[in-house]
Every structure is written in structure tokens, then in C-alpha cells.
Amino acid sequence: DRKFGLKVQKAEATDIILSLARRNLGHHLHLTHCLWVLRVCASNVATGTTLGINGAMELLFKVITPYSKRHVRTVRAAIEALAALLKSKSNSHQAVNRGYLGGLLRLYQDWHCNDVSNNYIYIRRGLLLCLKHVTNIQLGRETFLGSRGMEILFTSVQDCLSYKNLDPIITTVTQILRKCYPKESLPVATVRSSYFFPLPENAKAEPPCEGSEGDYESDGEEEAEKEDNEDVESKEEDYDLETDVNKLRSRPVLDRPEEELGQYEAMCPELSHNFQDLESESEEEKSLEDRTESLPSTPSHFIPSATSVKHPNFRWRNQSVTEMGPDPGEKDFKVPLQSWTKKEKCRWDPINEKRDIVEAAQDADSCEKEDPARSQALTFCPLPKGAAWYKKMFYHECEASINPSPGGRLESSDIVTNLLKKHQGDIPFHSPRFYIARAKGVKSIPDYKDLAFPDFWGHQPPPYSKPMLERKYGVQRDKVLDDVRRLIQPGDVIGRTVFDLDEPSDSSPGAPGCLTFFSKFESGNLRKAIQVREFEYDLIMNADVNSNQHHQWFYFEVRDMKLEVPYRFNIINCEKFNSQFNYGMQLVMYSVKEALQGRPRWLRAGHDICYYKNHYRCSTAAGGGMRGKCYYTLTFSIKFPHKDDVCYLAYHYPYTYSTMMSHLDILEQNRNPKKVYWRQQTLCQTLGGNPCPLLTITAMPDSKKRDDLEQFYSRPYVFLMARVHPGESNASWVMKGTLEFLVSSDPIADLLRKCFIFKIVPMLNPDGVINGNHRCSLSGDDLNRQWLTPNSQLHPTIYHAKGLLYYLRSIGRAPLVFCDYHGHSQKKNVFLYGCSIKETLWQAGCMVDTAVITEGVGYRTLPKILDKVAPAFVMNSCSFLVEKSRESTARVVVWKEMGVLRSYTMESTYCGCTHGLYKVSKSFK
């Protein structure tokens, strides 16, 4: 009976129980039964508090002290009753004030030392539970530290580690040590980002969100703190579900003047392309177009802004489509089967082509003439002094011309020239020349002067599938105990800063036996590195620009390593409650030496990996008002494959902005212009001044006949986006595969092109990706929480993406499908989040009048198809609930305001799959 204790108190029987116990102190059989009743009563906190006030704890201490193996059964009952009493904070305060905590420590020591055969584990664990409850209060933790509790428990637990049957004791000791470890601030001057970007004077950003951690994750993700060994599955919270039917209904309203929508007509050239004039263009027009071709990094077409010229040739439509059955236009959607077998007779229209791709690649060779300052700025990170293999590999033929600078850098022209000669060009859809041409035009806050080798050189997929890492038994407690050892045995702690983004002069790289770190390159993120011991380093990530939070993405270079030595790295300012690093995920590593030997690959790496809460806290001053925030440690060990190598470590396979732009260049060059209609435009300029590309992909019309052209113009739209969250690089890899497939010669791709017009924004947050953010843009805002009311100056990519969708809606061409690509750090596999009024109301327990609320079920069609044909896709992980906390996300806003029934967020795991062909044994990239 869970209310037994409360009933005892109401019956005023607590005094009787205590009186019986006192009378039977000399009759241990009777006393034991009294203590059992006392423990059950104390399970109710209010009753336990009353018992404490009436002297129950004094009675119990008389029974359990001093140490004796006589009447063990009675002692065990008394300890269990005491542990139940100490769940009350009032009793815990009383116990500390009366000196019981020190007595419990001494008693635990006695039992530990004398229980050589481990026959009294239950008594030892009972005493630990008493300590665990007492240290739940601040006074208890302070007294515990003052009584040398950390040293006592740490020393005692060392004797238990080799006995698996002592796991209950080891676990409880570890919990107490973690809880009582003195809290301290991160070893940085401020938790705000090292990078600052001045915002427009007339645009004021909202303060950083200080809500729940669930708001930091991709659409639909919730987090909860669990015990260390308990698997975490995100669950939708019913209280967050939107139950207001009026808010769930489609609301086709504008967030801007109608006149502004006309500017987006220029972003739909496919609707007005006159294929009849294809062969009648004059050579003069072609020549003029060629002369106005722009460089790869410069837009060559209309870029919208809030003050652009107004176009009157459109009308905003107010009909609602979310509820009322199938989408408008779906009934008019016809597949031109009869035209698919026709021979292609039309050729590609060269007018308005943005650039000559080959010339753009050649710019990489002549960049020194065109922009010598920028060219000299782009080089590679300093080489290790002892890396003789590195120099020999591609400098042996021009060794005399190498003039290293005092800092160890080689001339950029030498490096680039010789590397380009050595590159075999065997990496699909990648060219170092294209990458350099694009990287030159990137605008970053730190004004990057270094290229990360993996992004420049490229990489091949691993030659084999790798299983997810099996978690080593007891790895987390071992790491926690190592942290405690630092506190009580600080003699071997070095504590030397070897890399500091804030104070480069304070770091001391190049010390004997010390690794060298670097992160000032595109998408790089490492703020500080502290050498703890000879082969152990604490690492601190940089917060998002103009923010003090969102620490998850890391990407940095490390060198000067020794061969086959396990280096331990502790990333100490993670924020999420849990991570897939606890369930088989590994980070990725790239070796420059391996790449130059013909094996350029990002590989899953690391062992002894775990993720746990640490003792660092965010103070109010350092956090800009955020108080008491907890941090978590991601710890892993790595054996590097070569001595004095140059290696890169990252949270996930990196995918930079320059990689994306050069990939688009290559796709445009390699497509079949007779079959693939491709148009690359600029959606807008970002806050940081980088162009955000917009792609249009569909099939060329089969001919210039009227029927074929009408079929071309009337194809339904599919709108795809990715990388609104910079740290979700897996979204870019999925988008990369999408683009390569859509322009391929695959029959299914050809069919899709003939059926649909694809509008694609492959990277919605270029600034965040460039500057190594995890979640936000340069304004410090999560762009996927700005779709309700985006600011044209602070959130230009969202503002204009939404404007383009508004425009399509206004001309009756709202997308048939909208999908926003994301990455998920808490779940495995691939799945979709959609929107449904009925499912949301049903889940919330609301009555649904189907006569009033009608809704088509078409939103489930695409997930069901994917579940059948895509090995990594899992229908059971999909959700179609609309939460209040997600009302400003792209998925919900496009569903609600644009009336797109099939509006989705597609989540891809960072880790691996437990489903289909990739189940458990195979790594997912």
C-alpha cells in the first residue's frame, strides 16, 4: 500500500511504532519487525519527516553503531529504515547538523574493510544510500567534502572494480562522487562565442532562447535526463500538443505586403521560358551573355530585397487546403506517359547561364594574378616540424624552392601547385580546383586564411561497412573515477593551455610531447585545448556566433602525435542531456598521410567513448543571465595511425559551404543539358554577405510542341531545403545524394524530372556553416524558429524562402511536397515529421468531430512509400503531431500558412540504423 505511511500518520500511530521500537532495543527479533514497519512508514516523505522530528534517527543510530557483526539482520533493517527517513530534506538537514554524516562515513569504512568476503553487500549499499540521500542537499555536500568523503569513497571503490557482483556498490559510489564533485565554471573568460558579428542598427535580434533543451534539437525532438545505462528514446509530451482547432486550421495569411511577392517571379524562370525562341537567338545576344557571365562566387541575376520593385501580376489566394481533402491542382495533375518515349530534339538554352564552369576552375590557377591578397591568405595549416614524410611526398621534386616561414608555414602557391599535381581526380563529384575557386569568395567572421585539407582534397567512401561501436562495460564509471582522481590526486595534472582561440598568445604549442591543435578554417570549431596529462586533453567548443550556447559541433586539426599511443580527449562543454555517443556512435577522423597515400577517407574512430554530466556549471555573469546550466563531457580515446601525421577530428562528416558550391558547379557542368533543365540562382545574400543558392531542376520538354510545353509549365512543384542547422552536416550529405540522383540518367530520376519541378535550397544557413555554428545564424537565432515572422535583415534566407513559397501559393502553384532535411542526435534511422489535425487532437485526448474536421490522409502516403522502398527509413519513428513549441518551424508554418498537406521534416541519424539492410552491424553515413 503506497499510502500506508500516510494512513499511519492520520491514525496517529507513529508514536506507537517508535515506542515499540524503543521498548524492544534488547529484543532484536521484535525490534527487527518494528524497524520493517518503520521503513514502510518512512516511504511517505511527510510521515518520514514526522518520525524524524520525534527522534527516529537517534533511535536508528543507536542500533547501527558501533560497528558489529552481531544481529546483522537487525542492523540491515535499521540502515534501510534510515535511508528511507533521509529522503526527507528536513531529516537530512537534521542528520548533518547532529554529525551523523561523519558517523555514516566511518561506519561505511568499517564495514568495507571488514567485509573481506563480500558477504554484507546489502549493508554497505544501504549505508551508501544514506549518504546519497544526505548529499542531495547543499549542506550535506559541503559536509561530505569537509569530512574527506571524496577520498574515502574513491579509495574504497578501487577495491571493488574487479568484482562484478559489487556493481550496486560501485554505481552508488559513482553517483555520490559525481554529485559531490565541487562545481566550477568553465576555464574560459566568458561562455559567449569567441566570434562577434555586429547586427544591423535598425534590426534588433531577440535574446537567446533560454528554454528547455528540447527546443535546441531538430523538429520534434524532446530530451530527458536518464540513468547512465538507460536507453533514451525521444517521446512527444502530450502537454505540448496544440489542441486549439482554430490554430491548427490552415491560415493562408501574408506576413508582408502583397506587392512584395512580385519580386519572386524572377525565381521561377521555368514558368516563362520561351523554348520557341531557342534556335533564333542571335550570336550577338550570346556574346553579350558570355561577357556578363560572373565569377563562381558572384550572383548574376535578380536578388530580392524588402525594397525591390513591386510586381502587380499576381493574386494572393485565400482558400484553405489543409483540411479539405486533396490538394488543389492534384486533380489536374496528369502524367504525360505518351511523351516519355519521344526522342529529345530540343537543345539547352544558353541564355542566362551563370558562368563558364571550366573558366571558373581555371581561376584557381590564376588566382594570384587576380587577387594576390586573397590568394596568399588561403594556405594550409602549419606543418609539423618533424613531418619529413609530408615534405618528401610532394615536395621532393622542388625541395630547393620551399621556404618555410618562421611559423612553419610553406608558401601557399607551392602547396597548392604541388598538391594539385598529385591529386588523381578519382573522387566523384569533387575537384580541388573548384573548391579553391569557391573558397576564395567565402566571407567569414575570422576571415579564414587556411584551408582544411579534407575539404580541399576530398574523400572517398570507406571500402567496407563498419559496425557500430559496442560499449565497453563500465567505461563511464571508469571515466568519472578518473575525473575524481584529478581532484584528490592533482600531482600529475599538467593544466597547460595549448590552444586558445580567444588568447592565441597564451597557448603554448610546440612543447615536447604535446599535440598541436588548430580550428580557424571553414566550419571549424574548437575554442580551447588544455593538456591535462601527457596523453589527455580537455577541449572546449565555441558557442554559436552572438550566442552563449549550442555547443555540439566540433571540427579541428591535431598533429605532432606519437604512433599507437591512446590519446584521451574530453570535450567538456556539451549541452545535451544524452547522446548517441552512449549507444554506438563514433566521431570521424581524416588522416592527411593516408589521403596522400591514396586512401582519402573520413573513418569512424575512437574507443572508450561515453557521454555524461560533469562538474562544470555556467555562472550568471559568464552566461549572460543563464544561471546553473549544466555541462556534459564527451570523452573518447584515439590511436592515430601514423607518427607526426596531420589528422582532423569532427562530430560528423563535415560538409562546408565551399564544398556545396563547388559541388553545384560540377553538377551543372556534368548534367545532360538536353534532358535536364537546371537553373542556379541566388535566393538572397546572407547576413554575412554570402550568396544562398536556389536551384530549379526538372526535365526539358520533349519538344517545342504546345502540348509538351504546357506539360512542362504545369508540372507540380516539390520544394526541398537542407542545413538550416549548421551542425547537422548529415542533412547536407542527404541533399548531396538527392541532387546527384535528380540530375542522373537513372530512369526513375528521369521520371521524377518529367513529373515535377524541384525547387531546392541546398543550404539555408550558409553563415552558420561557414563559421562553425551548430544551431544558429550570425544573429544568434535558430532559423528554424523564425518562420512565423522572419526579419528580412536578420533572417534573410528564411524571409525570402518563405516569400518564394508565398509567391507560388499566390499563382496557384503551392508545392505538392515540402521537405526540410535535418539531422537527429538522439535517434537512429531516418524518419519524417509531418502535420495532422486529427492525429494531434486524438493524441491529446480531445474529441474529434469528423463531420466538422475533415482532413485528407495524403500526408501519410510518402512516409509509407519510403518505408517500403528505403532500407534506412522507419515508419514507426514518424510523427504527425503539431506541438506548440514547433509552431514557428518550417514544417508547421508551410503546412498551416501555405496549405501544403505534405509538409515534412526529414530526420537522418548521426549514428546508425537498427532497421533494414543497415541494421546494427552497418554504419550509416
Side-chain angles (χ1 to χ4, degrees), residues 796-854:
T797 60
I798 305 301
Y799 184 84
H800 292 298
K802 187 177 182 182
L804 177 56
L805 285 161
Y806 271 144
Y807 173 73
L808 292 174
R809 164 80 179 182
S810 73
I811 62 174
R813 302 296 296 275
L816 181 70
V817 174
F818 170 87
C819 191
D820 185 13
Y821 292 12
H822 282 255
H824 207 293
S825 67
Q826 296 288 319
K827 289 185 178 181
K828 294 180 173 66
N829 307 307
V830 180
F831 50 94
L832 290 177
Y833 291 122
C835 301
S836 166
I837 297 179
K838 289 183 177 179
E839 291 196 34
T840 301
L841 295 176
W842 285 332
Q843 181 66 29
C846 300
M847 296 295 294
V848 179
D849 188 345
T850 54
V852 176
I853 302 174
T854 58

Side-chain angles (χ1 to χ4, degrees), residues 20-41:
L20 286 171
R22 290 190 180 101
R23 291 180 193 173
N24 289 283
L25 284 175
H27 300 84
H28 292 282
L29 181 60
H30 296 167
L31 177 60
T32 301
H33 292 104
C34 292
L35 294 174
W36 286 344
V37 176
L38 191 64
R39 174 177 59 82
V40 175
C41 294

Side-chain angles (χ1 to χ4, degrees), residues 12-67:
E12 299 180 353
T14 53
D15 288 340
I16 298 173
I17 296 170
L18 283 175
S19 177
L20 286 171
R22 290 190 180 101
R23 291 180 193 173
N24 289 283
L25 284 175
H27 300 84
H28 292 282
L29 181 60
H30 296 167
L31 177 60
T32 301
H33 292 104
C34 292
L35 294 174
W36 286 344
V37 176
L38 191 64
R39 174 177 59 82
V40 175
C41 294
S43 61
N44 178 272
V45 175
T47 306
T49 302
T50 302
L51 288 168
I53 293 172
N54 293 335
M57 286 192 294
E58 294 90 337
L59 171 66
L60 295 175
F61 261 85
K62 287 181 181 179
V63 177
I64 65 176
T65 56
Y67 163 76

Side-chain angles (χ1 to χ4, degrees), residues 387-398:
W389 63 267
Y390 198 98
K391 296 178 182 179
K392 183 179 179 181
M393 230 166 207
F394 59 94
Y395 288 115
H396 59 278
E397 63 278 329
C398 58

Side-chain angles (χ1 to χ4, degrees), residues 438-453:
R438 281 299 182 177
K440 285 192 305 175
V442 169
K443 296 179 181 178
S444 63
I445 295 176
D447 190 22
Y448 296 128
K449 293 178 171 57
D450 294 276
L451 294 172
F453 187 91

Side-chain angles (χ1 to χ4, degrees), residues 183-419:
K183 305 301 180 282
E184 57 181 295
S185 300
L186 286 170
V188 290
T190 173
V191 296
R192 290 198 67 81
S193 174
S194 298
Y195 298 147
F196 171 76
F197 184 81
L199 299 178
E201 294 182 2
N202 55 342
K204 188 175 182 182
E206 297 180 4
C209 174
E210 299 180 15
S212 66
E213 291 285 326
D215 286 342
Y216 301 161
E217 194 44 54
S218 293
D219 201 19
E221 192 166 349
E222 299 286 344
E223 298 171 319
E225 187 175 3
K226 303 289 184 181
E227 290 297 325
D228 299 337
N229 296 322
E230 184 178 352
D231 196 4
V232 173
E233 289 292 339
S234 300
K235 295 181 179 180
E236 302 293 342
E237 297 289 350
D238 289 351
Y239 66 81
D240 190 38
L241 296 177
E242 181 58 73
T243 56
D244 187 334
V245 177
N246 292 325
K247 291 183 178 180
L248 288 171
R249 293 178 188 274
S250 177
R251 295 185 296 106
V253 294
L254 279 168
D255 64 355
R256 65 197 75 191
E258 286 189 19
E259 292 78 12
E260 283 190 20
L261 298 186
Q263 64 184 304
Y264 301 103
E265 182 180 359
M267 294 185 185
C268 300
E270 67 279 358
L271 296 181
S272 57
H273 197 116
N274 190 349
F275 293 93
Q276 299 291 345
D277 298 336
L278 189 61
E279 297 178 0
S280 62
E281 292 176 44
S282 67
E283 292 300 322
E284 182 179 352
E285 288 175 320
K286 292 183 180 180
S287 176
L288 176 64
E289 184 61 27
D290 289 339
R291 289 198 298 272
T292 57
E293 297 285 61
S294 61
L295 293 175
S297 59
T298 306
S300 61
H301 46 78
F302 181 79
I303 300 175
S305 67
T307 57
S308 298
V309 64
K310 298 174 181 178
H311 293 252
N313 302 324
F314 65 91
R315 180 172 61 87
W316 177 247
R317 302 190 177 190
N318 292 317
Q319 69 269 26
S320 170
V321 300
T322 302
E323 297 178 44
M324 304 306 294
D327 304 63
E330 190 172 359
K331 57 181 178 293
D332 301 323
F333 173 45
K334 297 179 180 179
V335 181
L337 289 172
Q338 71 280 3
S339 67
W340 290 351
T341 58
K342 293 182 180 179
K343 183 178 179 181
E344 287 79 13
K345 295 182 179 180
C346 51
R347 62 183 180 85
W348 178 243
D349 178 4
I351 283 192
N352 293 327
E353 282 294 289
K354 299 199 294 53
R355 57 195 178 278
D356 186 335
I357 302 301
V358 176
E359 289 181 7
Q362 292 172 348
D363 287 341
D365 296 330
S366 59
C367 60
E368 294 165 9
K369 298 177 182 178
E370 297 177 5
D371 189 357
R374 182 65 182 161
S375 173
Q376 290 299 320
L378 281 175
T379 181
F380 289 96
C381 303
L383 298 176
K385 295 179 181 178
W389 63 267
Y390 198 98
K391 296 178 182 179
K392 183 179 179 181
M393 230 166 207
F394 59 94
Y395 288 115
H396 59 278
E397 63 278 329
C398 58
E399 197 167 316
S401 67
I402 299 174
N403 298 308
S405 65
R409 293 177 186 271
L410 299 174
E411 293 298 325
S412 62
S413 58
D414 290 330
I415 292 179
V416 172
T417 301
N418 287 282
L419 279 175

